[in-house]
Amino acid sequence: MSMPPSSRTTVRRKPQRARYARADIEAIVDGTLICHVAFADGAGVHSLPMACWRVGDDLYVHAASNSRIAATLLAGECCVSIALVDGLVLARAAFHHSMNFRSVVVYGQFVAVDDPETAKTVYEAFVDHVSPGRSVQVRGPSPAEISGTRLLRLPLAEAAAKVRAGGVEDSRDDMGWPVWAGVVPVAMRGLPPLPDPGSAAYPQPVLPAMCVETTVE
Amino acid sequence: MSMPPSSRTTVRRKPQRARYARADIEAIVDGTLICHVAFADGAGVHSLPMACWRVGDDLYVHAASNSRIAATLLAGECCVSIALVDGLVLARAAFHHSMNFRSVVVYGQFVAVDDPETAKTVYEAFVDHVSPGRSVQVRGPSPAEISGTRLLRLPLAEAAAKVRAGGVEDSRDDMGWPVWAGVVPVAMRGLPPLPDPGSAAYPQPVLPAMCVETTVE
């Protein structure tokens, strides 16, 4: 299923890199732990990194119930962006250097999820996004913990992705330049876990998908 | 040297995580390949991922000379954010899960760098940011390539960093919960390089610092 782009999500620069298919957008959202939320208030435009995750057709972030950011986001439109770097594209010419990346931009307005049962389910998905299968192993949220946190939902409705993949694109004239050229794939990886005292005997946590998947070039 | 925070860069939520030292801010900018640029125009607020790098006291991005984004950024204020995830903080309680991260937020207005010689030097630093030592190995930019690209400079003047490091912070009541708890450090890593045909015999490129440094928890 594809999302018809709005005037704001239509990719104009290098439109061949645009991806409007819902599956592409969802895969990129699922591939990140962090999004950047842009919004405006009386002091100007702001950009704030926030942890994020997806359930169904929506992107979620959370904040303390009494925080300014929760109130501000609920009061107006924002734009959320996500970018994942997949590779360093090292060309023979400085000018043709590039990066392989997957990015998503979403426009809209966050709405609050105030039903505690719904919030609990969405928070479980957050824990499982960070470590698959973990939500049933940990001590679940208490009513006070849920009410102290504001869960915010943004529909992935006005959204588009942009993807650069593949190899170097040097000019024919530069092909004889005596330097290594190609792509260095990069990816987020888990390093050896550091257990908290007293818990090391339990099975180690499962890494999130973006730390274990093979990068396909 | 420390940067006195403005009202916009003062960290209010968890102020113990704020870092206003220039060295801390510069290290985080140097640790990324991508920033997210928030700006507003007649269509609302936008957030755009852009490649970035630092030279001295300034952050740089670039765009095609004839692009809308270059004109828009030069016309008004913006906010740039960077976020690096250093670890998954897996607590015994769902509520106490967290991430170790380093982030920077910068406010200001980009200015154009139109002097070709200055631009050439800054672009060399860009190539070396992606692969140290590479700028002297590749075919340097031609005058036409430099004039076809707009180099944009943002002073790291109104900027602040926020850092979460360390281990889990479970409540005393949860310490007996039967689950692995601790930190899983994560980091960007280089995977085996994919050489372009005809270049594989040359020495392999040097990885950028953020792909080789040890994550300190």
Side-chain angles (χ1 to χ4, degrees):
Chain A
M1 201 176 81
S2 192
M3 317 224 277
S6 72
S7 67
R8 298 194 293 195
T9 60
T10 301
V11 176
R12 292 180 173 81
R13 174 70 43 185
K14 309 211 182 205
Q16 71 278 14
R17 296 182 180 172
R19 300 283 185 278
Y20 300 114
R22 177 162 283 283
D24 291 333
I25 292 166
E26 292 180 353
I28 296 169
V29 175
D30 291 346
T32 196
L33 297 166
I34 294 269
C35 66
H36 292 251
V37 183
F39 58 96
D41 66 10
V45 175
H46 308 277
S47 182
L48 192 71
M50 300 184 82
C52 71
W53 70 104
R54 182 182 70 86
V55 177
D57 296 339
D58 300 297
L59 178 146
Y60 290 88
V61 299
H62 71 319
S65 287
N66 61 353
S67 63
R68 260 193 337 171
I69 182 66
T72 304
L73 290 181
L74 290 170
E77 285 224 318
C78 71
C79 178
V80 172
S81 63
I82 292 165
L84 306 171
V85 179
D86 290 329
L88 315 175
V89 181
L90 303 177
R92 296 165 180 84
F95 182 75
H96 290 292
H97 280 61
S98 186
M99 289 182 211
N100 283 339
F101 66 87
R102 290 166 290 149
S103 65
V104 160
V105 173
V106 190
Y107 291 87
Q109 183 164 347
F110 280 98
V111 295
V113 178
D114 286 331
D115 174 60
E117 281 307 307
T118 305
K120 186 163 182 292
T121 303
V122 174
Y123 286 131
E124 286 168 358
F126 186 18
V127 171
D128 288 334
H129 177 55
V130 175
S131 183
R134 188 169 177 85
S135 68
V136 296
Q137 303 173 336
V138 296
R139 197 268 290 160
S142 69
E145 288 169 344
I146 287 184
S147 68
T149 310
R150 205 80 196 258
L151 178 61
L152 304 175
R153 177 171 68 83
L154 180 68
L156 292 169
E158 187 179 350
K162 194 170 179 179
V163 175
R164 200 256 186 225
V168 297
E169 297 175 358
D170 271 312
S171 303
R172 181 182 300 221
D173 289 350
D174 293 322
M175 292 305 286
W177 200 267
V179 67
W180 191 97
V183 174
V184 180
V186 297
M188 188 187 275
R189 287 293 176 261
L191 306 179
L194 308 169
D196 203 44
S199 82
Y202 296 106
Q204 290 202 357
V206 178
L207 284 172
M210 76 285 284
C211 288
V212 292
E213 273 174 10
T214 302
T215 299
V216 178
E217 288 299 320
Chain B
M1 201 175 82
S2 194
M3 317 224 278
S6 72
S7 67
R8 298 194 293 195
T9 60
T10 300
V11 175
R12 292 181 173 79
R13 173 72 42 186
K14 310 210 180 203
Q16 71 278 16
R17 296 183 180 172
R19 300 284 185 277
Y20 301 113
R22 175 162 284 281
D24 291 333
I25 293 167
E26 292 181 352
I28 296 168
V29 175
D30 292 346
T32 196
L33 297 167
I34 295 267
C35 66
H36 292 251
V37 183
F39 57 95
D41 65 10
V45 175
H46 309 277
S47 183
L48 192 71
M50 300 183 82
C52 71
W53 70 105
R54 182 182 69 87
V55 177
D57 296 339
D58 300 297
L59 177 147
Y60 291 88
V61 300
H62 71 320
S65 287
N66 60 352
S67 63
R68 261 195 333 173
I69 180 66
T72 304
L73 289 182
L74 290 170
E77 285 223 318
C78 71
C79 179
V80 172
S81 63
I82 292 165
L84 306 170
V85 178
D86 290 330
L88 315 174
V89 181
L90 304 178
R92 295 165 181 84
F95 181 76
H96 290 292
H97 280 61
S98 185
M99 289 183 212
N100 284 339
F101 67 87
R102 290 166 291 150
S103 65
V104 160
V105 172
V106 191
Y107 291 88
Q109 183 165 347
F110 280 100
V111 293
V113 178
D114 285 331
D115 173 60
E117 281 306 306
T118 305
K120 187 164 181 289
T121 303
V122 175
Y123 286 131
E124 286 168 358
F126 186 17
V127 170
D128 288 334
H129 176 56
V130 176
S131 183
R134 187 169 177 85
S135 68
V136 298
Q137 303 174 335
V138 296
R139 198 267 291 158
S142 68
E145 286 169 346
I146 287 184
S147 68
T149 311
R150 203 80 195 256
L151 178 61
L152 303 175
R153 177 171 67 82
L154 180 68
L156 292 168
E158 188 179 349
K162 194 170 180 180
V163 175
R164 201 258 187 224
V168 298
E169 297 173 1
D170 271 312
S171 303
R172 182 182 299 223
D173 289 350
D174 293 322
M175 293 306 286
W177 202 267
V179 67
W180 191 96
V183 174
V184 181
V186 297
M188 188 187 276
R189 286 292 176 259
L191 307 179
L194 308 169
D196 203 44
S199 82
Y202 295 106
Q204 289 201 359
V206 178
L207 285 172
M210 76 283 287
C211 289
V212 291
E213 275 173 8
T214 304
T215 300
V216 178
E217 288 301 319

